[in-house]
Amino acid sequence: MAWAGTAALGCWQLDRARQKLDREGESTRQMALPVLDGAALLAMADPAQVLHRGAVLRGTWVPRATVFLANRALRGRAGFHVVTPLRLSGSDATVLVVRGWAPRDAQDRTRVPPVPTPAGEVQVSGRLAPPPSRLFELGEEEPGPIRQNIAIEPFARETGLALLDVSLLQTSEADDGLRREWPRVAADVHKHHGYAFQWFGLCALVGLLYVWFQFIQPRRVRRAR
């Protein structure tokens, strides 16, 4: 029934908004915890325990494995998320660092922007997150610097790196020309509230039309006779 369907869709949008607000609350609680270093991160048995926590990691970049994740827009402009593995000091463990955003060349879509990557040990601050979010893609991802997604296990086999099942959204400044504007978890919650309002409005309209054509209009016709 249309009335039940539109009401269910409105409730689903409200539930999506609630889930995002719950995740934002959890993110806020995690960010209030003490900042982790590399040793503390490696000591965590479950990567989910550290998501959204602040971290300051020391290590060396692995520039040969830098990937440019395509179709990551910023303020309506097409671009990449630049991801470079960081091998933690004193360990073979490696973390994917989402270093920032760079614009895409509209004239040559195969061209990647130059991103300076210093040699030697560096210190990178940021917020721990799940591996880079996946976007829909047709077929299997081809190797190369420009990709749609990174899957941890295949990428670890391809590069020979011991990748942790977590990434770091870099917040510390660096002389690399990248922009770091990471969205809040519930930044688009108003969108779900808007959709819910539309579905409930449609639900109310369906209900009014049903009452009109099933009850009021037939009664008016009978009276007119």
Side-chain angles (χ1 to χ4, degrees), residues 61-68 83-85 87 94 99 117 144-145 147 155-162:
W61 295 115
V62 186
R64 64 174 175 81
T66 294
V67 171
F68 295 79
V83 181
T84 303
R87 183 179 288 111
T94 307
R99 300 170 61 186
T117 303
R147 308 186 185 198
F155 193 64
R157 291 194 298 269
E158 176 189 335
T159 59
L161 299 173

Side-chain angles (χ1 to χ4, degrees), residues 67-122:
V67 171
F68 295 79
L69 294 180
N71 298 316
R72 269 60 174 188
L74 180 65
R75 301 181 183 273
R77 188 178 179 188
F80 304 101
H81 278 173
V82 181
V83 181
T84 303
L86 181 74
R87 183 179 288 111
L88 300 180
S89 296
S91 171
D92 287 332
T94 307
V95 175
L96 291 178
V97 179
V98 187
R99 300 170 61 186
W101 180 90
R104 188 159 196 170
D105 190 329
Q107 304 301 320
D108 183 0
R109 295 181 61 80
T110 64
R111 181 178 179 272
V112 297
V115 179
T117 303
E121 188 177 65
V122 296

